[in-house]
Amino acid sequence: MNNHERLVVVGFVILFIWAGQLALGQNRCLNKGNYTSNSSYAFNLNSSFQELGSNLDNNGFYNASVGQLTDRANSMVLCRGDVQLDECQDCILESADELLRSCPFQKQAISWDERCMLRFSNATIFGSLETSPMRYWWNPNNATSPDKFKENLRGLLDQLRNQAASGGSLRKVAARNATGPDFQTIFAMLQCTPDLSQEDCTSCLINAIANIPARCDGKRGCRVLSPSCYLRFEIYPFYNETRLRELEPAVSSSPPPVLDPPSSSSGKSDGNTINQTVIIIVVPIVLSLILAVSAIIWLRKRRAQKPIENHHESVEISTAESLQYDFSTIKTATNDFSDDNKLGEGGFGSVYKGKLWNGEEIAVKRLSVHSGQGDLEFKNEVLLLAKLQHRNLVRLLGFSIHGTEKLLIYELVQNASLDQFIFDQRNQSHLDWDRRYKIIAGVARGILYLHEDSRLRIIHRDLKASNILLDRDMNPKIADFGMARLFGQDETQGNTSRVVGTYGYMPPEYITHGQFSIKSDVFSFGVLVLEIISGRKNSNFRSGENAEDLLTFAWKNWREGTAANVMDPLLRSGSGSMSEMLRCIHIGLLCVQENAMERPTMASVVIMLSSPSISLAVPSEPAFYLQSGYTSQTSRLDHDCNSREAELIINNFQKPADQSDHSSNNDVSITDLHPR
């Protein structure tokens, strides 16, 4: 067999494997109720399919609902973002026919085709995030330089995820290519059903990306499909760039021509009898030209990198100047930092309420003069915080420097911090389960933004109830970035000789070895979740006559099947969902596991919170702080921490139980404001 024949055989083998994957599990019948052939539901379902075909517009998405109550049939179609309208209409007809044959008399089913996704259900599906069932189709060939390939792929998918999720209510799709290792180019497309919110689309795509290693690890191409979103990547241009640009100019895609090589086939012949020898010769030539052009572009960008950096530096300086407030303006706004305007006080300094000349209310953080942070480092921190734009983060408006005075000016969040609600007997009643669940989910999304979606990966390092502020509608906003540490996107862990933070929220690897990572914030989040559900502090917790920490108490009850004991009595007697509360306790215990590697990422936590159908792992024993009472723990801190910082932590921890705790509750924080 000569080389030419071998190539032909290899092509047929790849085509055969791809066709086999597409044939397996293309339709999914869901065992969630049946109907009879002459029933109202059967009539409504057929009517909804007809409505899909006749009303589908150029955007490639339509939802139809026909009937009432239990006989209501809901159907939905999503065309692949680059498919022509007539092709998608054909896909609807074929998929509907195939679904009715494959899933006779079942009230819920879904079909994935090369061109479209079709699903129907007796339950509401419009605007509802659904990540299961999930299907995978993959290229049987492995990528060369797999570690570098996966790194480049992850960067590309993260960019496209944000772009797709930020699309409008008509289309949420993004496609682009990126340079891969060994002169490869990686092409990818991500798409959500446009009825999803930006947050739900993000969650769906995060879940799809997280599932790539399960089936497609190290492969040259893969498709991950769920009812609410779609993901595909290849090392050849599989999408129709022209069509994407026609439909939505904002969807950027790179200029290579559209090809349809054998390995991308869905297993259906298009009827053309193209000579396979021509395909095998032409495709490598075109790909070689694409790679050559990509290499030239990459080299030019590399040469131009330094001037761009210089320009970026000048822009940063200009931005810093635009954020600076005159010190006298802030002094006037806070009535000369009067005690009547003071909102709270902690290790970082004091926070004051103020009002600018235009009526805008602000919160001013007056940093301690002993912070030791230089003007340049302070401005760099301000520039970073000013770029953090998320609805669950407190927004920084600007800063002021005057001699030794350093001020941070924030938006004023109308309600107090979370600790003044969940730990206060008078205010606890304002937080029913729905509000507490909304706070838990909002904090999770805010941390996910810091870890995954901001320009740099940010570890907060002081996540606690007093650093969660509540706005007028009781939406949570994460505050106080005085201890935050910055990572590059490829960094995952750091070490420090200065253990700083708040007792009870710090993970064991940080206290013992000074190691911090995104899993440090996950641990703090887990403690926070258990505090929100129980209404009690982790570091000041008593169970009957025994002094034990909240984590110990929650673990014992979860293991013994009495997790309801962990819940705030107000929640147990309320109307909240018991299953949601128990699930959140479960998630909290997963986050506080002693081994950092076993804790989930915040991306996984967001998915767990938003998708009740996803099963949860069994947690291992959490890190216990107070098993032997206060005395043993303080000696441990004295051994592990910087002596001055340990002294501060211990003194605060041993304060009388009846001492007021209604300031900012930041009294056990130690802020590390040294240059980073």
Side-chain angles (χ1 to χ4, degrees):
M1 182 182 292
N2 58 37
N3 290 335
H4 173 74
E5 291 171 332
R6 287 194 185 95
L7 286 173
V8 173
V9 170
V10 169
F12 271 113
V13 169
I14 292 173
L15 181 60
F16 177 77
I17 294 174
W18 268 98
Q21 292 181 54
L22 295 173
L24 290 173
Q26 189 173 6
N27 298 325
R28 179 65 186 266
C29 311
L30 307 179
N31 296 319
K32 298 192 176 180
N34 297 318
Y35 65 92
T36 58
S37 58
N38 295 320
S39 65
S40 296
Y41 184 82
F43 174 81
N44 293 336
L45 181 59
N46 282 310
S47 299
S48 72
F49 284 161
Q50 293 173 10
E51 194 172 320
L52 289 180
S54 59
N55 290 289
L56 184 69
D57 63 17
N58 218 27
N59 291 302
F61 172 77
Y62 196 77
N63 172 76
S65 295
V66 179
Q68 300 294 328
L69 302 176
T70 57
D71 292 326
R72 188 178 184 87
N74 305 289
S75 58
M76 178 183 291
V77 64
L78 176 68
C79 305
R80 202 177 81 175
D82 61 332
V83 169
Q84 298 286 348
L85 178 59
D86 56 348
E87 291 183 62
C88 192
Q89 288 172 329
D90 290 342
C91 181
I92 295 173
L93 294 175
E94 294 172 15
S95 297
D97 184 61
E98 180 63 27
L99 269 183
L100 293 176
R101 276 203 315 269
S102 302
C103 307
F105 312 129
Q106 290 185 300
K107 289 190 173 182
Q108 297 186 23
I110 184 169
S111 169
W112 290 282
D113 183 89
E114 175 71 10
R115 301 156 295 171
C116 72
M117 179 274 295
L118 176 67
R119 59 186 293 213
F120 66 83
S121 174
N122 59 327
T124 300
I125 55 179
F126 185 82
S128 176
L129 171 64
E130 186 60 67
T131 57
S132 63
M134 187 170 282
R135 283 289 177 266
Y136 310 83
W137 300 335
W138 61 93
N139 188 317
N141 294 318
N142 292 323
T144 58
S145 304
D147 291 340
K148 187 64 177 175
F149 184 89
K150 286 188 281 188
E151 179 184 338
N152 296 147
L153 174 64
R154 180 56 190 262
L156 175 61
L157 295 181
D158 283 346
Q159 290 179 5
L160 293 178
R161 181 191 74 203
N162 294 331
Q163 184 181 340
S166 62
S169 59
L170 298 178
R171 284 171 62 81
K172 283 184 168 64
V173 60
R176 190 182 300 168
N177 69 40
T179 301
D182 304 325
F183 301 102
Q184 296 177 104
T185 301
I186 307 172
F187 298 82
M189 176 187 286
L190 277 68
Q191 185 173 8
C192 291
T193 58
D195 57 315
L196 295 184
S197 66
Q198 182 172 348
E199 291 79 9
D200 283 347
C201 179
T202 298
S203 296
C204 189
L205 293 174
I206 286 174
N207 186 45
I209 293 170
N211 276 279
I212 290 175
R215 301 289 179 89
C216 311
D217 194 31
K219 298 298 183 183
R220 291 183 181 181
C222 179
R223 306 180 209 188
V224 182
L225 307 102
S226 72
S228 292
C229 64
Y230 160 93
L231 176 158
R232 182 180 179 184
F233 66 87
E234 305 285 357
I235 59 169
Y236 53 82
F238 61 88
Y239 49 77
N240 186 332
E241 180 203 359
T242 304
R243 175 66 172 165
L244 286 170
R245 289 188 174 180
E246 285 175 357
L247 293 173
E248 190 170 355
V251 176
S252 65
S253 189
S254 299
V258 179
L259 303 175
D260 192 13
S263 58
S264 70
S265 171
S266 65
K268 297 178 182 179
S269 171
D270 60 3
N272 296 326
T273 57
I274 300 174
N275 187 287
Q276 292 180 7
T277 304
V278 174
I279 294 176
I280 294 171
I281 294 173
V282 170
V283 170
I285 293 174
V286 174
L287 289 176
S288 298
L289 289 173
I290 293 169
L291 293 174
V293 171
S294 300
I296 292 171
I297 294 172
W298 178 77
L299 289 172
R300 287 182 178 176
K301 284 184 177 180
R302 188 175 182 182
R303 288 173 188 156
Q305 186 173 1
K306 189 170 182 179
I308 290 173
E309 288 176 350
N310 292 336
H311 172 70
H312 180 68
E313 184 178 342
S314 65
V315 171
E316 295 278 271
I317 294 171
S318 175
T319 303
E321 292 174 352
S322 68
L323 293 171
Q324 187 160 2
Y325 284 72
D326 187 75
F327 181 77
S328 61
T329 299
I330 305 304
K331 187 176 179 180
T332 302
T334 58
N335 194 21
D336 198 10
F337 305 102
S338 67
D339 288 340
D340 290 340
N341 283 35
K342 183 180 286 189
L343 297 174
E345 187 170 2
F348 55 79
S350 303
V351 176
Y352 298 85
K353 179 181 179 180
K355 181 178 286 189
L356 297 175
W357 61 269
N358 60 359
E360 182 180 8
E361 292 186 311
I362 57 174
V364 180
K365 182 185 292 185
R366 190 182 194 185
L367 298 183
S368 168
V369 295
H370 304 295
S371 69
Q373 190 178 38
D375 291 353
L376 180 59
E377 290 79 13
F378 176 72
K379 284 185 178 181
N380 287 338
E381 182 175 348
V382 168
L383 284 170
L384 168 71
L385 296 179
K387 292 176 181 176
L388 298 181
Q389 299 292 330
H390 191 276
R391 66 179 181 176
N392 296 118
L393 302 181
V394 174
R395 186 164 58 94
L396 180 75
L397 303 177
F399 70 99
S400 180
I401 298 178
H402 180 75
T404 59
E405 292 274 12
K406 294 184 178 69
L407 310 177
L408 292 171
I409 296 94
Y410 290 93
E411 64 172 327
L412 181 68
V413 180
Q414 289 77 9
N415 280 317
S417 52
L418 176 61
D419 63 307
Q420 296 190 38
F421 282 88
I422 59 173
F423 302 141
D424 189 293
Q425 295 292 332
R426 295 165 299 177
N427 291 332
Q428 276 183 338
S429 59
H430 293 292
L431 292 181
D432 58 13
W433 174 241
D434 287 341
R435 281 180 172 168
R436 297 193 200 201
Y437 189 77
K438 184 168 81 169
I439 291 169
I440 291 171
V443 172
R445 287 193 296 267
I447 306 170
L448 174 61
Y449 172 81
L450 296 175
H451 288 183
E452 301 269 349
D453 298 330
S454 60
R455 185 171 62 89
L456 291 173
R457 177 169 288 169
I458 299 172
I459 313 299
H460 189 279
R461 293 207 304 170
D462 198 23
L463 188 69
K464 57 183 178 180
S466 61
N467 283 339
I468 307 299
L469 306 184
L470 302 173
D471 69 10
R472 185 180 287 104
D473 299 318
M474 303 300 281
N475 294 307
K477 291 180 178 287
I478 302 172
D480 196 345
F481 290 83
M483 297 185 202
R485 293 295 295 265
L486 314 182
F487 281 179
Q489 286 293 347
D490 57 344
E491 292 182 278
T492 58
Q493 181 173 302
N495 290 274
T496 180
S497 59
R498 292 174 55 82
V499 176
V500 297
T502 301
Y503 181 82
Y505 292 91
M506 295 185 288
E509 71 274 6
Y510 183 49
I511 290 178
T512 307
H513 305 294
Q515 295 176 350
F516 60 91
S517 66
I518 58 174
K519 297 299 183 72
S520 306
D521 284 350
V522 172
F523 183 92
S524 303
F525 175 78
V527 176
L528 182 63
V529 167
L530 294 174
E531 288 183 332
I532 291 173
I533 295 173
S534 67
R536 291 185 280 185
K537 294 183 180 180
N538 179 48
S539 57
N540 188 18
F541 180 86
R542 297 189 69 85
S543 176
E545 297 299 320
N546 300 318
E548 61 181 352
D549 64 300
L550 177 58
L551 307 189
T552 307
F553 179 73
W555 170 253
K556 287 180 179 178
N557 280 278
W558 187 85
R559 187 178 54 189
E560 294 169 5
T562 56
N565 292 340
V566 181
M567 299 173 191
D568 189 327
L570 289 172
L571 297 181
R572 289 200 298 267
S573 60
S575 60
S577 167
M578 183 67 68
S579 62
E580 278 186 349
M581 297 181 209
L582 294 174
R583 185 175 178 85
C584 283
I585 293 174
H586 193 160
I587 292 171
L589 290 172
L590 288 172
C591 293
V592 297
Q593 294 177 101
E594 187 159 13
N595 186 341
M597 297 296 293
E598 294 180 356
R599 297 173 207 150
T601 63
M602 288 310 303
S604 298
V605 169
V606 168
I607 293 170
M608 293 176 197
L609 290 169
S610 60
S611 303
S613 60
I614 294 178
S615 59
L616 305 181
V618 177
S620 60
E621 191 174 85
F624 299 140
Y625 285 130
L626 300 177
Q627 293 182 81
S628 304
Y630 294 174
T631 304
S632 63
Q633 184 55 35
T634 54
S635 64
R636 177 181 176 183
L637 281 170
D638 188 51
H639 172 75
D640 289 332
C641 300
N642 173 283
S643 59
R644 171 60 180 155
E645 291 167 352
E647 179 184 350
L648 290 172
I649 294 175
I650 293 166
N651 288 342
N652 281 293
F653 180 66
Q654 292 178 326
K655 68 180 180 180
D658 60 350
Q659 183 172 328
S660 174
D661 230 352
H662 297 309
S663 61
S664 72
N665 231 3
N666 207 4
D667 47 349
V668 289
S669 294
I670 302 164
T671 304
D672 180 10
L673 291 174
H674 288 278
R676 298 195 276 275

